[in-house]
Amino acid sequence: MTGLAARPVPVPDALSAPFWQAAARHVLTLAQCAKCHEVTLPPDLTCPHCHTIEPDFAFVPVDGTGRVRTWTVIRRSFLAGFENPFVLVDVELDGHPDMRLVARLLDGADAPLNIGTRVVVEFEDIAPGVAVPAFRLEQEA
Ligand SMILES: [Zn+2]
């Protein structure tokens, strides 16, 4: 970590605060609309599914497993605090085929990736009380 500038820290707003509170406990949650019960992430002022302006989201924990839909290797990051190169994976969460979660892969730039590779969420503690979701290759059972 030496020599690296501090990474940007997410700034929760009222809408996303419950997501970040759960993330700090290393729990991945999705925002579930009170009207149509569909899930989304990140939560917006309206529900992207039923378009209600009062989605009154509940943040439901999910197990954070899924499969890689695609990925990219970042060799020159324009964000401070990342050691290059690193990998961003676009993950389809199990049971939520419409949900895309793009996050860092913690296994390094040479990780053996294919479309469909199994991954599981893991949290990076980046500041006191702040953790961000990332992914790691799922170990074969
Ligand atoms: Zn809805």
Side-chain angles (χ1 to χ4, degrees):
M1 290 299 285
T2 52
L4 280 179
R7 273 172 67 167
V9 173
V11 180
D13 57 17
L15 211 52
S16 66
F19 173 85
W20 293 111
Q21 285 160 10
R25 304 192 313 271
H26 292 195
V27 175
L28 181 67
T29 58
L30 302 178
Q32 185 176 43
C33 173
K35 296 281 190 296
C36 71
H37 305 290
E38 296 288 334
V39 292
T40 189
L41 198 69
D44 205 343
L45 291 172
T46 60
C47 172
H49 302 283
C50 70
H51 307 292
T52 176
I53 57 168
E54 294 178 330
D56 195 17
F57 289 117
F59 287 78
V60 293
V62 292
D63 60 11
T65 55
R67 58 188 197 92
V68 172
R69 195 187 330 232
T70 187
W71 71 94
T72 187
V73 180
I74 309 294
R75 300 193 183 277
R76 291 177 71 180
S77 174
F78 296 97
L79 283 174
F82 291 93
E83 200 163 345
N84 298 322
F86 66 93
V87 178
L88 285 180
V89 283
D90 175 343
V91 173
E92 177 185 313
L93 292 174
D94 289 342
H96 301 285
D98 297 333
M99 285 289 318
R100 311 175 60 142
L101 192 54
V102 176
R104 222 157 78 89
L105 185 77
L106 301 176
D107 301 79
D110 299 324
L113 281 174
N114 288 294
I115 291 171
T117 294
R118 302 282 310 162
V119 292
V120 60
V121 76
E122 189 170 310
F123 284 84
E124 293 186 274
D125 294 298
I126 60 170
V130 182
V132 296
F135 285 98
R136 194 176 281 289
L137 298 178
E138 194 173 81
Q139 300 300 316
E140 299 291 333

